[in-house]
């Protein structure tokens, strides 16, 4: 039987969120306990646990059919892989940082400076584009300590909350790249794995749609139904059910969460009452 091979990071926040995505997609792993591989019991999927910076190479070479990793790693490794989907988790940014006590007046600060980073390709392209001449010190880890030990004048590193920079006496001064988890695929994926991949992407889209939408229920006077229906039109149109109370109806609709918050005041002004906002588990369009 054909199996789709997925590479994910073997530990860390991105790994946890990748496994949670599979779980939400209804995929159960027989062994997800940080061993080298795990097999799904109810879907033709095998998961390989790898270092995140090795995943692009494994996917390019077809050892894994697909991979989930940060977009920053995909761009830095520049392997021949296809980026299929942005997954809306593990958001971070690749930023320049300098010692907290330094005065920063703009990118020209970095002219003739040394910058420590694990992302020399991305940083080099950025500096070239900005016409900044700086020396890049490539190091594999603990980039944030480089200024403190005299290795560099500043750093270029991944930032999520900024707490690590603060602990090491640094401040973020420029954002080079905004990144999130992406799904990548080998360019030579076979027809069997490709068919399974489409099934997996279908599930991921259903989960993503559910996460960004909410099921809305509210009561409203019949005279306001037309106005409220234009505010929360749903996927095609809202469902309207008469209430036992004469002249009133219940409106059910599915709305993007950001849009709902924008029109809440208008709903109340139109006469809506008893508004309920309910999460959606899966949503298939």
């Amino acid at each position: 039987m054909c199996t789709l091979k997925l590479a994910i990071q073997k530990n860390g926040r991105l790994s946890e969120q990748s496994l949670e995505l599979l779980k939400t997609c209804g995929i159960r792993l027989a062994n997800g306990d940080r061993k080298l591989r795990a097999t799904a019991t109810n879907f033709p999927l095998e998961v390989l646990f790898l270092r995140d910076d090795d995943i692009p190479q494994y996917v390019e070479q077809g050892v894994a059919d697909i991979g989930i990793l940060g977009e920053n790693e995909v761009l830095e490794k520049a392997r021949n892989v296809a980026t299929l989907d942005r997954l809306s988790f593990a958001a971070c940014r690749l930023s320049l940082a300098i010692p907290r006590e330094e005065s920063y007046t703009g990118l020209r600060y970095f002219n003739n400076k040394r910058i420590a980073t694990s992302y020399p390709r991305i940083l080099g392209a950025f500096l070239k584009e900005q016409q900044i001449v700086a020396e890049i010190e490539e190091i594999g880890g603990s980039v944030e300590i480089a200024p403190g030990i005299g290795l560099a004048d500043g750093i270029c590193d991944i930032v999520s909350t900024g707490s690590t920079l603060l602990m090491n006496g640094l401040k973020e001064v420029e954002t080079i790249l905004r990144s999130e988890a992406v799904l990548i695929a080998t360019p030579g994926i076979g027809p069997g794995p490709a068919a399974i991949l489409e099934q997996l992407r279908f599930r991921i889209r259903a989960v993503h749609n559910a996460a960004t939408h909410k099921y809305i229920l509210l009561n409203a006077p019949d005279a306001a139904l037309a106005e409220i229906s234009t505010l929360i039109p749903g996927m095609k149109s809202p469902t309207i059910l008469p209430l036992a109370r004469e002249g009133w109806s219940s409106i059910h609709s599915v709305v993007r969460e950001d849009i709902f918050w924008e029109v809440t005041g208008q709903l109340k002004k139109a006469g809506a009452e008893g508004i309920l906002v309910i999460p959606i588990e899966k949503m298939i369009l």
Side-chain angles (χ1 to χ4, degrees):
M1 181 179 177
C2 184
T3 300
L4 181 70
K5 293 183 178 180
L6 164 66
I8 68 172
Q9 190 172 320
K10 62 181 179 181
N11 49 44
R13 184 169 61 99
L14 196 149
S15 176
E16 296 295 339
Q17 292 176 312
S18 299
L19 291 172
E20 182 60 29
L21 174 63
L22 295 178
K23 181 180 178 181
T24 310
C25 287
I27 298 173
R28 297 191 300 269
L29 295 179
N31 174 11
D33 221 1
R34 293 299 176 275
K35 295 190 177 178
L36 292 178
R37 63 177 64 188
T39 303
T41 59
N42 61 341
F43 191 81
L45 180 74
E46 182 180 1
V47 178
L48 308 178
F49 296 96
L50 305 170
R51 284 170 46 95
D52 59 344
D53 53 357
D54 288 337
I55 292 176
Q57 177 182 348
Y58 277 73
V59 173
E60 178 188 51
Q61 295 174 346
V63 175
D65 301 302
I66 58 174
I68 295 176
L69 74 165
E71 184 181 17
N72 52 293
E73 288 293 344
V74 178
L75 295 175
E76 178 62 30
K77 297 306 178 185
R79 293 283 184 166
N80 181 26
V81 297
T83 299
L84 303 180
D85 300 301
R86 304 177 72 85
L87 299 177
S88 301
F89 64 83
C92 62
R93 56 196 181 274
L94 184 63
S95 295
L96 289 163
I98 63 175
R100 196 181 308 158
E101 67 275 8
E102 288 284 318
S103 296
Y104 184 72
T105 56
L107 277 171
R108 297 299 165 194
Y109 170 91
F110 290 100
N111 260 327
N112 303 313
K113 295 286 200 308
R114 290 177 299 164
I115 307 172
T117 187
S118 300
Y119 298 91
R121 184 187 300 273
I122 297 175
L123 176 58
F126 175 79
L127 294 176
K128 182 178 181 181
E129 180 183 340
Q130 299 296 325
Q131 298 181 329
I132 302 295
V133 178
E135 182 180 349
I136 297 175
E137 293 283 352
E138 182 179 355
I139 55 179
S142 301
V143 175
E144 61 277 355
I145 70 170
I149 61 176
L151 179 64
D153 302 295
I155 70 167
C156 175
D157 201 15
I158 289 295
V159 179
S160 294
T161 64
S163 59
T164 303
L165 294 180
L166 288 174
M167 288 190 313
N168 287 275
L170 301 174
K171 61 182 178 182
E172 185 178 2
V173 293
E174 297 283 348
T175 297
I176 291 179
L177 171 75
R178 295 193 180 275
S179 177
E180 64 181 271
V182 294
L183 179 68
I184 63 172
T186 181
I189 189 169
I196 301 170
L197 171 58
E198 285 312 304
Q199 295 177 43
L200 177 61
R201 294 178 73 191
F202 176 84
R203 295 192 185 196
I204 291 173
R205 284 193 294 270
V207 168
H208 181 260
N209 289 334
T212 56
H213 290 74
K214 291 292 183 283
Y215 190 80
I216 311 298
L217 297 88
L218 58 84
N219 297 330
D222 289 346
L225 294 180
E227 180 181 358
I228 291 175
S229 294
T230 62
L231 294 173
I232 51 172
M235 290 182 286
K236 291 190 180 297
S237 66
T239 299
I240 300 176
L241 303 172
L243 295 179
R245 180 180 174 182
E246 187 175 350
W248 283 73
S249 295
S250 174
I251 300 181
H252 299 215
S253 188
V254 173
V255 182
R256 284 188 60 91
E257 186 173 18
D258 53 354
I259 293 176
F260 169 76
W261 289 116
E262 290 175 7
V263 301
T264 300
Q266 294 170 267
L267 291 172
K268 294 287 290 181
K269 187 176 180 180
E273 297 181 0
I275 302 173
L276 299 179
V277 182
I278 302 173
I280 302 170
E281 185 175 335
K282 304 290 187 299
M283 181 174 167
I284 300 170
L285 299 177

